[in-house]
Amino acid sequence: MHIPATLVRGGTSKCWLFNQVEVPADRGDLERLLVAAYGATDPVELDGVGGATPTTSKSA
């Protein structure tokens, strides 16, 4: 699945920005997209783009 997005970084925080019409409506598909966007194989350890803490990794 390929969905256009922009990665915004500020200090230690990272945020993937998506257009709402591009992301899947199904929650399971959306969760898989977000895990893939952060480069993780384990949804608890988002280790690609950055850590799994909600204070440093966001999406909108």
Side-chain angles (χ1 to χ4, degrees), residues 11-56:
T12 60
S13 294
K14 293 136 306 254
C15 180
W16 279 110
L17 299 175
F18 300 92
N19 185 329
Q20 184 176 1
V21 300
E22 301 283 346
V23 297
D26 178 77
R27 183 173 178 116
D29 291 340
L30 178 58
E31 288 175 0
R32 285 186 285 283
L33 167 67
L34 294 175
V35 168
Y38 279 95
T41 56
D42 180 340
V44 177
E45 296 183 24
L46 300 178
D47 59 7
V49 173
T53 62
T55 57
T56 60

